[in-house]
Amino acid sequence: MSQKPSLPKGMRDFGPLQMARRNYILDTIKTVFQKYGFMPIETPAMENLTTLTGKYGDEGDQLLFKVLNSGDFLSKTTEVDYKNGAKQMLRKVSEKGLKYDLTVPFARFVVMNQNDITLPFKRYQIQPVWRADRPQKGRYREFYQCDADVVGTDSLICEAEIVMMINEVFNILGFTDYSIKINHRAVLSGIAEAIGAQGKESDLFVAIDKLDKIGLDKVCDELSNRGLSNTSIESLKPILSLGGTFDQKISALKNILTESRAGSKGIAQLEEVVAYLSKLTSDKTHIELDTTLARGLSYYTGTIFEVKINNASIGSVSGGGRYDDLTGIFGLPDISGVGFSFGVDRLYDCLEELDLFKDEVLTFTEVLITHFDKPSQEYGLGVLAQLRNANIKSELYPDQAKPKKQFGYADKKGIPYTIAIGSDEVNSGQLTLKNMETGDQEKLTIEKIIEKIKKGR
Amino acid sequence: MSQKPSLPKGMRDFGPLQMARRNYILDTIKTVFQKYGFMPIETPAMENLTTLTGKYGDEGDQLLFKVLNSGDFLSKTTEVDYKNGAKQMLRKVSEKGLKYDLTVPFARFVVMNQNDITLPFKRYQIQPVWRADRPQKGRYREFYQCDADVVGTDSLICEAEIVMMINEVFNILGFTDYSIKINHRAVLSGIAEAIGAQGKESDLFVAIDKLDKIGLDKVCDELSNRGLSNTSIESLKPILSLGGTFDQKISALKNILTESRAGSKGIAQLEEVVAYLSKLTSDKTHIELDTTLARGLSYYTGTIFEVKINNASIGSVSGGGRYDDLTGIFGLPDISGVGFSFGVDRLYDCLEELDLFKDEVLTFTEVLITHFDKPSQEYGLGVLAQLRNANIKSELYPDQAKPKKQFGYADKKGIPYTIAIGSDEVNSGQLTLKNMETGDQEKLTIEKIIEKIKKGR
């Protein structure tokens, strides 16, 4: 009995084309990370549930994929547990879960390896994570995260380097119209103070973070519904409408937040980041102060980043920030760090939308050897060996088949050259090289062919 | 409350050193796979349990990690199910499992994508798999597999190319003393026929596969216990003791199996593989006919491979074979294929044991910039920008710290060069370059330093 196979919902296969493109993105990112002194680590897919639960809020706990204990998974349960339902049963039938992000496993890694690693520790990590979210367009239950963090220093040079890395990755990938938005947790606190909205901070931040999507009027409506006074809302409006360059915005903000200690500290730190950046590059065109940026406020305590490709339909493709106490929950307090993450799927979609993938990315095999009969196929094996000795990615069609089928294989696989071998070629040593794109053919020795292919790369 | 973190048993973190070494192995393998025309794919960590169960025998089913359904996982169960125990409950609380190998997901991929892929389809796949095995030295519950398969052709050229790829990977990694053992399912059937052991084939094969480990006498004892006649065992002995070159063994075997149709076919195919190999390379020193090789007989139907590093304590590091019907179970019959797999953990251990890892593999950052005060640190940012523009992997120590701490960082991270900057260096532009291995120091401009570092690579 055969079965019709399927994939679990929200899960994807990646074929060769997608893999080539994904690897191009990931290799670009890895190269830049390493240039900046970041080193790779990997953590297992599964973590103990004690490590994962309680770290992502109640909703996050719901979205964790839990792994059933091996063997008789009911052995620790009783009928009473069963009657009490899933929550009670869960504790006794499952001890492990799939990782939900790379940050919590990284914090665990730092704590468990604190005697082996040297602070400041700069690491990157590119691995899949799993979330039992409702799948929809662009949202999957398994997806790669691509994180870089520095822990063990509060130097704001790290923030400036993150901006540099984002710029460098985007330059290589070919993005030109993008914004690296930056804000600071203390600036947000300062704004709350300045408009007299203390005690209503999370209502304030949740609402203003939506400014981009819903506009100023709706943000004000929401703030009013959330109980902010009209006075507060009126004082907020000019802050949300701040325009001009980075420096102009900073000056305006300084006046507004002059009374707030937190606000002044936040502004000073943002100025310091930009001062470092000025020493690292003359190109600061992409960095933008955004006082409405309020992501990840449950863990970020300093700077906050978010990157948007302005000419693509997808919004944020990267984000991050500074946190004061990543590892405290695992018993290692007072380790400051700053990190950010590239959304690999979103970068992929943006590159596709803006037609920025280069064709070269897709070339695997460079030459296919085709043949008319058994003796020419056997002769082709020697040709194949010469091509590969010259480090040319090459294949010989393995079966006896009609030329049409063999050339069709080259065509479908996107192989740019074919070498046709028949009895003429075997006798003369002059092989027929065909450029599959132009259709041009010429008779050449294998040495000349190797030269030509290497030149054309 | 902080918690002491731990890893689930059988799971591992990989730190930067291990990652560098693993990536070196995997990059070597990928480069060779691509040179031979193989293309990468990836499949998700989770598969439907209907895809996985029944494919690996009863033991394999036990070792699958099962993922609990999301939400109220008990909703489809009744008290009767609970009372009937884990087996019945499992069907109703779990629909997905973690992949156990890369072969079954590959078969599913081929069937689901049969309209998009071109046969013969050459793919490689490097991903973790999970098995709820009892952990022990060298055996983990999460480990990488690294497979290459060609499906959709029965050409024995593919077998010859597998031997070539193994040779090429091993040459690059630096292994010299290894054997690529080859056998054929039909030769094994022929041997069973020749010694009159039909009907006792699996007893015969299981026992002779142990020859390497337990020796001829114990194999014979086991065969006797398993009910093989003394006549059979006596006729088997000379076959198991065959010596000499590949060609000598083939001649001897031809005489022994002359009456067996299967045996003769198997021999002819092995001869064909070696004939192809002769056209591809002059080096056939590593290939060895091993009539006791009997792995994976429940799925291999043609050639069988196994690779051993002879001068390392670990045995097999790679294996594979030809199968006639990989995808039949998913409704696509008659697709012949041949594949093999590198054991990444075992290759790692062998390279370590034989001290074959090169130091270069481990160099991430090439230069660390150290500084004596805030102004020299800020000057260092410009130096950093110049180094990175020259594509030199570099870092600036982010904090104000004592020289000892900064140099200690370089030392522990294995950074080969440091550039020390103080007020003298800021004033003169002559920076102090130190070779961390030799301790040599010299004063040079940044341009000279860049030149020197690039030359020294």
Side-chain angles (χ1 to χ4, degrees):
Chain A
M1 268 299 294
S2 80
Q3 42 178 237
K4 193 165 179 286
S6 65
L7 271 176
K9 68 175 173 178
M11 307 285 169
R12 292 170 289 174
D13 287 325
F14 297 113
L17 172 69
Q18 291 154 301
M19 284 297 293
R21 291 175 159 191
R22 289 172 68 84
N23 285 338
Y24 161 70
I25 297 171
L26 295 177
D27 289 345
T28 301
I29 294 172
K30 282 180 204 167
T31 304
V32 172
F33 283 169
Q34 289 187 22
K35 189 166 162 182
Y36 281 73
F38 289 76
M39 300 186 294
I41 72 159
E42 280 187 12
T43 63
M46 267 179 256
E47 295 277 353
N48 289 320
L49 280 175
T50 50
T51 300
L52 300 175
T53 43
K55 308 303 187 299
Y56 309 104
D58 285 349
E59 202 206 3
D61 287 351
Q62 295 294 324
L63 299 183
L64 289 172
F65 278 110
K66 284 109 185 164
V67 176
L68 214 48
N69 294 340
S70 306
D72 178 5
F73 61 90
L74 294 176
S75 63
K76 290 179 193 160
T77 68
T78 64
E79 241 180 285
V80 175
D81 294 324
Y82 178 77
K83 284 182 183 151
N84 281 333
K87 203 170 167 188
Q88 182 160 335
M89 282 288 275
L90 179 64
R91 279 197 295 272
K92 301 191 172 179
V93 301
S94 170
E95 285 161 10
K96 294 179 290 288
L98 298 184
K99 63 175 177 253
Y100 180 87
D101 72 359
L102 302 180
T103 307
V104 168
F106 173 54
R108 178 199 51 69
F109 177 93
V110 169
V111 175
M112 285 179 68
N113 295 279
Q114 54 186 292
N115 298 322
D116 300 318
I117 62 180
T118 314
L119 297 180
F121 183 58
K122 300 169 101 171
R123 86 87 172 78
Y124 70 86
Q125 192 170 350
I126 301 176
Q127 293 194 272
V129 300
W130 295 269
R131 297 182 185 178
D133 239 324
R134 193 180 303 275
Q136 57 183 54
K137 195 181 173 322
R139 192 204 278 161
Y140 303 97
R141 293 183 143 197
E142 173 181 73
F143 56 97
Y144 271 76
Q145 286 195 338
C146 179
D147 284 19
D149 289 81
V150 195
V151 295
T153 170
D154 55 11
S155 167
L156 296 169
I157 291 175
C158 304
E159 269 83 344
E161 293 208 287
I162 286 175
V163 174
M164 293 295 294
M165 286 195 283
I166 294 167
N167 273 327
E168 193 156 340
V169 166
F170 280 21
N171 269 334
I172 300 173
L173 295 180
F175 294 120
T176 50
D177 186 7
Y178 61 92
S179 307
I180 304 176
K181 300 184 176 198
I182 186 168
N183 196 11
H184 197 290
R185 184 70 169 82
V187 166
L188 287 167
S189 302
I191 291 174
E193 249 178 82
I195 66 169
Q198 292 103 317
K200 288 260 164 214
E201 301 203 328
S202 53
D203 288 306
L204 173 64
F205 301 155
V206 166
I208 65 173
D209 195 42
K210 297 181 187 164
L211 185 68
D212 245 19
K213 282 184 199 134
I214 63 175
L216 186 60
D217 289 350
K218 286 200 172 146
V219 168
C220 293
D221 289 352
E222 183 168 333
L223 286 169
S224 180
N225 291 337
R226 283 171 180 266
L228 262 82
S229 71
N230 280 340
T231 329
S232 291
I233 295 173
E234 285 310 312
S235 342
L236 181 65
K237 278 184 181 170
I239 304 178
L240 297 189
S241 314
L242 280 182
T245 64
F246 192 93
D247 291 344
Q248 287 164 341
K249 283 185 186 169
I250 286 277
S251 315
L253 211 53
K254 264 188 193 166
N255 287 327
I256 297 163
L257 303 185
T258 180
E259 305 278 301
S260 159
R261 233 177 111 164
S264 304
K265 184 188 142 201
I267 292 172
Q269 292 207 349
L270 290 173
E271 285 186 297
E272 193 179 334
V273 170
V274 173
Y276 289 135
L277 201 57
S278 301
K279 300 215 180 273
L280 287 166
T281 179
S282 53
D283 175 17
K284 291 182 296 171
T285 47
H286 296 288
I287 191 158
E288 187 182 297
L289 178 62
D290 182 352
T291 52
T292 70
L293 181 62
R295 56 180 283 155
L297 294 181
S298 57
Y299 40 93
Y300 292 142
T301 51
T303 46
I304 311 166
F305 297 101
E306 188 164 274
V307 188
K308 288 191 174 171
I309 311 275
N310 299 317
N311 56 346
S313 52
I314 289 156
S316 162
V317 294
S318 173
R322 178 172 288 279
Y323 37 80
D324 274 344
D325 191 22
L326 179 68
T327 53
I329 186 86
F330 297 123
L332 186 67
D334 303 323
I335 301 276
S336 183
V338 59
F340 75 112
S341 181
F342 283 116
V344 185
D345 289 311
R346 291 175 166 210
L347 286 175
Y348 188 105
D349 291 345
C350 287
L351 288 167
E352 197 162 51
E353 181 180 341
L354 300 173
D355 201 18
L356 290 172
F357 279 118
K358 299 179 188 77
D359 282 349
E360 307 91 86
V361 168
L362 315 177
T363 306
F364 288 107
T365 301
E366 296 169 278
V367 194
L368 175 74
I369 302 169
T370 67
H371 40 81
F372 289 94
D373 49 27
K374 192 85 187 152
S376 47
Q377 185 186 38
E378 288 185 6
Y379 182 89
L381 286 167
V383 174
L384 184 65
Q386 283 176 275
L387 288 166
R388 287 185 182 151
N389 283 340
N391 263 317
I392 290 170
K393 293 181 233 167
S394 40
E395 294 180 58
L396 169 90
Y397 197 83
D399 298 308
Q400 298 298 319
K402 294 202 172 127
K404 198 183 158 194
K405 192 168 184 191
Q406 300 186 46
F407 284 102
Y409 176 84
D411 207 39
K412 282 186 200 140
K413 205 165 165 176
I415 301 176
Y417 291 102
T418 54
I419 296 174
I421 302 180
S423 54
D424 279 3
E425 284 79 3
V426 172
N427 291 330
S428 67
Q430 295 280 323
L431 314 178
T432 306
L433 180 72
K434 181 173 176 182
N435 180 321
M436 291 294 286
E437 205 188 328
T438 62
D440 293 346
Q441 295 200 23
E442 53 189 326
K443 290 220 166 193
L444 295 169
T445 61
I446 180 62
E447 291 78 13
K448 290 279 175 206
I449 287 176
I450 289 171
E451 220 172 88
K452 192 170 173 111
I453 291 171
K454 288 198 154 183
K455 245 188 213 154
R457 272 174 181 170
Chain B
M1 267 296 294
S2 81
Q3 44 179 235
K4 195 168 178 286
S6 64
L7 273 174
K9 67 176 176 178
M11 308 285 168
R12 292 170 290 173
D13 286 324
F14 296 114
L17 171 68
Q18 290 154 304
M19 284 297 293
R21 290 176 161 188
R22 290 171 68 84
N23 285 339
Y24 161 72
I25 296 171
L26 295 178
D27 289 345
T28 301
I29 293 172
K30 283 179 203 167
T31 303
V32 172
F33 283 169
Q34 289 187 21
K35 189 165 162 182
Y36 282 74
F38 288 77
M39 298 187 296
I41 71 159
E42 281 188 11
T43 63
M46 267 179 256
E47 295 277 353
N48 290 321
L49 280 174
T50 50
T51 300
L52 299 174
T53 42
K55 308 302 187 299
Y56 308 105
D58 286 346
E59 202 206 4
D61 286 350
Q62 295 293 325
L63 298 185
L64 290 173
F65 278 109
K66 284 108 185 168
V67 176
L68 214 48
N69 294 342
S70 306
D72 178 7
F73 61 89
L74 293 176
S75 62
K76 292 181 192 159
T77 67
T78 64
E79 234 178 291
V80 175
D81 294 324
Y82 179 77
K83 283 182 183 150
N84 281 334
K87 204 172 168 186
Q88 183 159 333
M89 282 285 278
L90 179 64
R91 278 197 296 269
K92 302 191 170 179
V93 301
S94 170
E95 284 161 10
K96 295 179 288 291
L98 297 183
K99 64 177 177 252
Y100 181 87
D101 72 359
L102 302 179
T103 307
V104 168
F106 173 54
R108 177 197 52 69
F109 177 95
V110 169
V111 175
M112 284 179 67
N113 295 279
Q114 55 187 292
N115 298 322
D116 300 317
I117 62 180
T118 314
L119 297 180
F121 183 58
K122 300 168 101 169
R123 87 83 173 81
Y124 71 86
Q125 191 170 352
I126 301 177
Q127 292 192 277
V129 300
W130 294 269
R131 296 183 185 178
D133 238 326
R134 193 181 302 275
Q136 57 183 52
K137 194 180 173 324
R139 191 205 279 162
Y140 302 97
R141 292 183 144 198
E142 172 182 74
F143 56 97
Y144 271 75
Q145 286 194 337
C146 178
D147 284 19
D149 290 78
V150 195
V151 295
T153 170
D154 55 10
S155 166
L156 296 170
I157 290 175
C158 303
E159 270 84 341
E161 292 207 290
I162 286 176
V163 175
M164 291 297 292
M165 286 195 281
I166 294 167
N167 272 328
E168 194 157 339
V169 166
F170 280 21
N171 269 333
I172 299 173
L173 294 180
F175 293 121
T176 49
D177 186 7
Y178 61 92
S179 305
I180 303 174
K181 299 185 177 196
I182 187 170
N183 196 12
H184 197 291
R185 184 70 168 83
V187 166
L188 287 166
S189 302
I191 291 173
E193 248 179 79
I195 67 170
Q198 293 102 316
K200 287 262 164 211
E201 299 203 330
S202 53
D203 287 309
L204 172 64
F205 301 153
V206 167
I208 65 173
D209 195 43
K210 299 180 187 165
L211 184 68
D212 246 18
K213 283 183 200 136
I214 63 176
L216 186 60
D217 288 350
K218 286 199 175 148
V219 168
C220 294
D221 288 352
E222 183 170 333
L223 286 169
S224 180
N225 292 337
R226 283 171 179 267
L228 263 82
S229 70
N230 279 340
T231 329
S232 291
I233 295 174
E234 285 311 311
S235 342
L236 180 65
K237 279 183 180 172
I239 302 178
L240 297 188
S241 315
L242 279 183
T245 64
F246 190 93
D247 291 343
Q248 286 165 342
K249 283 184 185 171
I250 285 280
S251 318
L253 209 54
K254 265 188 191 165
N255 286 329
I256 297 163
L257 304 185
T258 182
E259 305 279 300
S260 158
R261 233 176 112 164
S264 303
K265 183 188 146 205
I267 291 172
Q269 292 208 346
L270 290 173
E271 285 185 299
E272 193 178 335
V273 170
V274 172
Y276 290 136
L277 200 57
S278 301
K279 302 219 179 266
L280 287 166
T281 179
S282 54
D283 175 16
K284 289 183 296 171
T285 47
H286 296 288
I287 191 158
E288 189 182 298
L289 178 64
D290 182 352
T291 51
T292 70
L293 181 61
R295 54 178 284 153
L297 294 180
S298 56
Y299 40 92
Y300 292 141
T301 50
T303 46
I304 310 164
F305 298 101
E306 188 164 273
V307 187
K308 288 190 174 172
I309 312 274
N310 299 319
N311 56 346
S313 52
I314 290 155
S316 164
V317 293
S318 173
R322 180 171 285 278
Y323 37 80
D324 274 345
D325 191 22
L326 180 68
T327 53
I329 185 87
F330 297 122
L332 186 67
D334 303 324
I335 301 276
S336 182
V338 59
F340 75 112
S341 182
F342 282 116
V344 184
D345 288 312
R346 289 174 169 211
L347 286 176
Y348 187 105
D349 291 345
C350 287
L351 287 168
E352 196 161 52
E353 181 180 342
L354 300 174
D355 200 18
L356 290 171
F357 280 117
K358 296 177 190 81
D359 282 348
E360 305 91 87
V361 168
L362 314 177
T363 305
F364 289 106
T365 300
E366 295 168 280
V367 194
L368 175 74
I369 301 169
T370 68
H371 41 83
F372 289 96
D373 49 29
K374 192 84 188 154
S376 45
Q377 186 187 36
E378 287 185 6
Y379 182 90
L381 286 167
V383 175
L384 184 65
Q386 284 176 276
L387 289 165
R388 287 184 184 151
N389 283 339
N391 263 317
I392 290 171
K393 294 181 231 163
S394 40
E395 293 181 58
L396 170 89
Y397 197 81
D399 298 308
Q400 297 298 319
K402 295 207 171 119
K404 199 183 157 191
K405 194 167 181 191
Q406 299 186 47
F407 285 101
Y409 176 86
D411 205 42
K412 283 186 200 138
K413 207 166 164 179
I415 301 177
Y417 290 101
T418 55
I419 296 175
I421 302 181
S423 54
D424 279 4
E425 283 80 3
V426 172
N427 292 329
S428 67
Q430 296 279 324
L431 314 177
T432 306
L433 180 72
K434 181 174 176 180
N435 180 321
M436 291 293 286
E437 205 188 329
T438 63
D440 292 346
Q441 296 198 22
E442 53 189 325
K443 291 221 167 191
L444 293 169
T445 60
I446 181 62
E447 292 77 15
K448 290 279 174 205
I449 288 175
I450 288 172
E451 219 172 89
K452 193 169 171 115
I453 291 170
K454 287 199 155 180
K455 244 187 211 156
R457 272 173 180 170

